[in-house]
Amino acid sequence: MFQILIAILVLVLLLLLGIVWFQRRAVRQIGELQAVSTHLGKQPLADELKKVQQMQLVGDAQDQLAKLQKEYDRLAPAIKRLNKQGADLQAAVKTNQLLTINSAISDYRTEIEKTSKQADRLQKQLQTLQQQEASHHQAVDQLKQRYQQYHQQLDDKSFEYGETVDQLNDQLTALEARYTKFADLTSKGDLEAAQEILTDLQTANQDFAELLEKVPKLYKPLATEFPDQLAELKSGYQTLTKQHYRFTEGDLGQKIDQLQAKLTQTVKLLNDLQVDVVEQANQDLSTEIDHLYDVMQKELDAKPEAQHLMKVMGEFISHARRQNDELTKELKRLNLSYTFNHNEIESARRLDEQIKTIDKDYQRDAQAIKDQQALYSQILATQKANQQELTAVEEKQGEINDEVAKLQTDEQRAKKMLQRYSVDIRTVKRQVERLNLPGLPADYRDYFMGVSDEVKKLAAALGQYKVNMDDVTKQLIMVEADLETLHTKTNDLRDSVELTERLLQYANRFPNDETVEKAAQESRRLFGEYEYAKSLEKIGTALEEVEPGSFKRLEDSYYNEHH
């Protein structure tokens, strides 16, 4: 029973603590909302509204103020009700309404948030009207000061604007007329209408300020640079024409006059303030004037160089012609004794035609200079190209001359080689004869006769009325290689014969060896049939069988003696 009583007391205590906590929480929430409500009540909406009313607005601004007044008239009682509602809720917390207080607090919060947003919006709109009115008054002063600066700039620096001053002053007058209307609307409090004019006026002011900056930059070259340059071009053209200069472009005088007319027209366009068109026209004028300067300067620069090159080319052509004549004569002389295989005579003829063509250009340009009709830049380009071509001609002449100059030397060298080859053939023949052989192998005999025929053919080629050195050179290469092979074959033949004889003599040391005896007989038979290599192999193999190492020893001894 006592325990049950304690449990009941604990439950009651917990319930009381919960009620206290819930009550304090509700009081805190209501207090926070009351603070917001109090702040709303302290907002200077009435003062802001009074300030705007004192602005004596008209038009749309006046209508807007009326709407704001109505909104304030609805908002002010609502704020008072919120203050009273907060106090009522604080009282309700301490009564039996505590259990339903959450819903009331939620409604109170919603109403405060709604009213707070309305108050903020109203305050911002009132401030916007004040700021707009203040900015308009500030704009009135700023624009007045700016127009005074524009007038002073146009007066003090009228020399930078030329005749555009009249148009610029007209535009400035139009701007000031619109400014006057803006100032009048501002003073009357018609903020909406004044703002429309101000927006357009600010754009127009920006455009006018850009004009004041651009015009001097466009006017300066039109007033000073281009006229001076065109005058200089005209004077220079007249002077150069009297000095008989010609140019790559015709009618330069007419083009200068056309640019002068374009300059006059561009000035008129600038006077009408067509700045975009004038910007492009100025660029075109500058480019075209520079181009005419380049055209005339090109001839001035080309003349001394062309005159010098003409003198050089006159001597160069004469030298190349003399050299080609000498080359042609030499080719004709050598052609009596040698066959040309690389069209040397035809090449010399083509070189002569090239020289004639170059000389034709030279004579034409020389006559133009003499007749005072020279276009020096064109002459310079032609003669530079011909100078390069003539250099190539002389290089080709040198190549041909060097090639044919070798013919006689090569012929003498070939004859010396023929003599050596003939001696070699005779030497080989004597070497073979000294061997006292019963005969020669067919392949060796055929090869020897082939090389002998090649030497005879080479002698015949060198004995021709017109020697073909290309053919002689090919034969020399072939005979040289075949003679070397013949020497190798002759040495092999001699070695086989002499080694066989030594081995047969050594075989006599084995009179009772049937193998050696039979091999010796077979070796002598093969020797008699001119099969000297087979004969050597037969007796060598038998000796190696009966006395290993004997063949190698005898072979090394032989080569040590003969090599």
Side-chain angles (χ1 to χ4, degrees):
M1 186 66 180
F2 180 71
Q3 292 177 345
I4 294 173
L5 183 59
I6 290 175
I8 292 172
L9 289 174
V10 169
L11 289 174
V12 170
L13 180 60
L14 290 173
L15 180 61
L16 290 174
L17 289 173
I19 291 172
V20 170
W21 175 84
F22 190 77
Q23 188 179 47
R24 289 182 178 178
R25 176 175 172 274
V27 168
R28 186 179 67 254
Q29 290 178 336
I30 295 169
E32 291 172 353
L33 292 174
Q34 281 183 306
V36 176
S37 176
T38 302
H39 176 71
L40 285 174
K42 292 181 179 180
Q43 280 186 324
L45 293 177
D47 294 338
E48 296 284 349
L49 186 60
K50 187 176 181 180
K51 289 179 182 178
V52 175
Q53 289 171 341
Q54 291 173 352
M55 289 162 51
Q56 298 180 348
L57 302 176
V58 298
D60 292 338
Q62 188 179 39
D63 294 340
Q64 185 179 2
L65 178 59
K67 292 179 182 178
L68 294 177
Q69 179 67 56
K70 291 180 180 179
E71 189 170 345
Y72 175 77
D73 291 343
R74 291 194 299 270
L75 188 61
I79 293 174
K80 291 181 179 180
R81 285 198 300 273
L82 287 174
N83 291 331
K84 183 177 182 304
Q85 188 175 355
D88 291 343
L89 285 174
Q90 286 286 9
V93 169
K94 301 173 182 178
T95 67
N96 56 5
Q97 297 181 21
L98 178 62
L99 297 177
T100 60
I101 198 69
N102 272 346
S103 176
I105 291 174
S106 178
D107 293 341
Y108 185 42
R109 179 180 289 106
T110 301
E111 191 65 27
I112 285 179
E113 289 175 353
K114 177 182 176 182
T115 305
S116 179
K117 289 180 181 179
Q118 291 174 345
D120 289 342
R121 184 172 63 251
L122 175 60
Q123 186 175 34
K124 287 179 181 178
Q125 290 176 331
L126 290 171
Q127 289 175 349
T128 298
L129 286 174
Q130 293 179 69
Q131 290 170 357
Q132 192 174 36
E133 194 263 352
S135 66
H136 285 180
H137 281 289
Q138 184 180 12
V140 169
D141 296 335
Q142 289 177 343
L143 291 175
K144 182 178 180 180
Q145 184 178 1
R146 181 179 299 177
Y147 294 143
Q148 289 174 349
Q149 291 173 349
Y150 288 162
H151 277 296
Q152 184 175 357
Q153 183 172 349
L154 290 173
D155 290 341
D156 294 347
K157 296 186 178 181
S158 59
F159 60 89
E160 293 184 356
Y161 293 89
E163 295 182 15
T164 62
V165 167
D166 294 336
Q167 280 276 12
L168 291 169
N169 277 319
D170 289 344
Q171 286 197 16
L172 184 54
T173 299
L175 287 174
E176 288 178 317
R178 294 163 69 183
Y179 161 75
T180 300
K181 185 174 182 181
F182 165 69
D184 182 58
L185 290 171
T186 297
S187 65
K188 290 179 178 178
D190 194 345
L191 300 183
E192 190 71 22
Q195 183 59 44
E196 290 180 4
I197 293 178
L198 179 60
T199 300
D200 293 339
L201 198 56
Q202 287 172 335
T203 301
N205 285 342
Q206 180 63 34
D207 294 340
F208 188 75
E210 290 178 0
L211 274 179
L212 291 182
E213 183 179 357
K214 286 182 179 179
V215 168
K217 296 177 182 178
L218 297 174
Y219 178 70
K220 182 179 179 181
L222 293 173
T224 58
E225 296 174 11
F226 295 158
D228 291 346
Q229 289 174 340
L230 289 174
E232 185 179 35
L233 282 173
K234 193 173 188 66
S235 173
Y237 174 70
Q238 292 171 348
T239 300
L240 294 177
T241 302
K242 290 178 182 178
Q243 294 175 0
H244 308 290
Y245 277 89
R246 296 180 67 210
F247 305 97
T248 53
E249 295 185 16
D251 302 324
L252 282 190
Q254 183 179 353
K255 290 182 178 179
I256 294 171
D257 292 339
Q258 290 173 348
L259 289 180
Q260 184 63 58
K262 186 172 183 177
L263 172 62
T264 302
Q265 179 61 28
T266 304
V267 171
K268 291 180 180 179
L269 292 172
L270 182 59
N271 291 339
D272 291 337
L273 298 178
Q274 298 186 41
V275 292
D276 292 339
V277 179
V278 173
E279 281 180 343
Q280 185 60 52
N282 277 11
Q283 291 178 13
D284 294 342
L285 279 167
S286 178
T287 301
E288 291 165 9
I289 287 172
D290 288 345
H291 175 66
L292 292 185
Y293 269 116
D294 291 341
V295 169
M296 288 193 279
Q297 191 63 43
K298 184 179 181 181
E299 300 308 314
L300 283 170
D301 294 341
K303 182 176 180 179
E305 191 176 354
Q307 289 176 331
H308 172 72
L309 187 56
M310 284 294 289
K311 182 179 179 181
V312 171
M313 285 298 291
E315 297 172 356
F316 199 176
I317 291 169
S318 297
H319 179 268
R321 181 181 285 113
R322 287 194 305 272
Q323 190 162 282
N324 214 65
D325 290 343
E326 292 173 2
L327 177 61
T328 301
K329 290 177 183 178
E330 181 66 8
L331 288 174
K332 288 179 179 178
R333 184 184 70 80
L334 291 173
N335 195 37
L336 296 174
S337 302
Y338 300 98
T339 299
F340 294 147
N341 296 295
H342 304 290
N343 299 317
E344 286 86 352
I345 294 178
E346 175 61 21
S347 296
R349 189 194 66 77
R350 285 198 298 268
L351 293 178
D352 187 62
E353 291 299 321
Q354 283 183 263
I355 295 171
K356 288 179 180 178
T357 301
I358 292 170
D359 185 53
K360 185 178 179 180
D361 290 341
Y362 173 80
Q363 297 299 334
R364 181 198 63 217
D365 290 344
Q367 189 63 44
I369 293 174
K370 182 178 179 181
D371 295 340
Q372 297 183 332
Q373 296 294 316
L375 181 55
Y376 287 105
S377 62
Q378 191 176 81
I379 290 175
L380 181 60
T382 299
Q383 294 307 318
K384 278 186 174 180
N386 286 347
Q387 186 181 37
Q388 292 181 348
E389 186 176 352
L390 206 55
T391 299
V393 165
E394 290 208 338
E395 289 175 355
K396 185 63 177 177
Q397 288 173 341
E399 291 174 5
I400 295 173
N401 185 68
D402 292 344
E403 189 65 31
V404 298
K406 292 166 52 181
L407 291 174
Q408 290 176 310
T409 304
D410 289 346
E411 182 188 15
Q412 295 303 318
R413 186 181 298 111
K415 287 181 177 179
K416 289 181 180 180
M417 295 297 292
L418 175 61
Q419 285 182 327
R420 184 169 67 80
Y421 296 156
S422 297
V423 171
D424 280 355
I425 286 290
R426 290 194 296 271
T427 300
V428 169
K429 185 177 180 182
R430 287 195 297 270
Q431 287 175 347
V432 174
E433 288 173 349
R434 283 198 296 267
L435 294 175
N436 295 317
L437 298 176
L440 294 173
D443 61 340
Y444 177 83
R445 184 175 61 252
D446 292 343
Y447 197 86
F448 179 86
M449 296 304 297
V451 175
S452 297
D453 290 342
E454 288 176 5
V455 174
K456 292 176 183 178
K457 184 179 177 183
L458 175 61
L462 285 169
Q464 292 290 323
Y465 177 72
K466 290 181 69 172
V467 177
N468 188 330
M469 285 308 299
D470 278 1
D471 184 50
V472 167
T473 300
K474 293 175 184 176
Q475 290 189 49
L476 284 170
I477 294 171
M478 184 170 62
V479 171
E480 181 78 24
D482 289 347
L483 263 176
E484 185 176 345
T485 302
L486 179 61
H487 280 296
T488 300
K489 286 180 176 293
T490 300
N491 290 333
D492 290 344
L493 175 64
R494 183 197 64 200
D495 293 341
S496 295
V497 169
E498 294 185 353
L499 262 175
T500 300
E501 291 175 346
R502 285 197 180 193
L503 291 178
L504 286 172
Q505 290 177 1
Y506 191 78
N508 293 331
R509 297 184 180 188
F510 306 95
N512 299 320
D513 193 299
E514 186 177 351
T515 300
V516 173
E517 182 61 28
K518 288 182 179 180
Q521 291 177 2
E522 181 64 17
S523 176
R524 291 188 185 96
R525 185 187 66 77
L526 290 170
F527 196 93
E529 294 176 357
Y530 322 140
E531 297 288 349
Y532 303 114
K534 291 181 179 180
S535 176
L536 174 63
E537 182 181 2
K538 189 67 177 176
I539 188 61
T541 302
L543 288 174
E544 192 67 23
E545 288 180 6
V546 298
E547 188 181 331
S550 57
F551 176 68
K552 181 68 168 60
R553 186 178 70 257
L554 292 170
E555 186 181 42
D556 290 344
S557 175
Y558 170 79
Y559 283 119
N560 288 333
E561 293 175 8
H562 290 83
H563 295 281

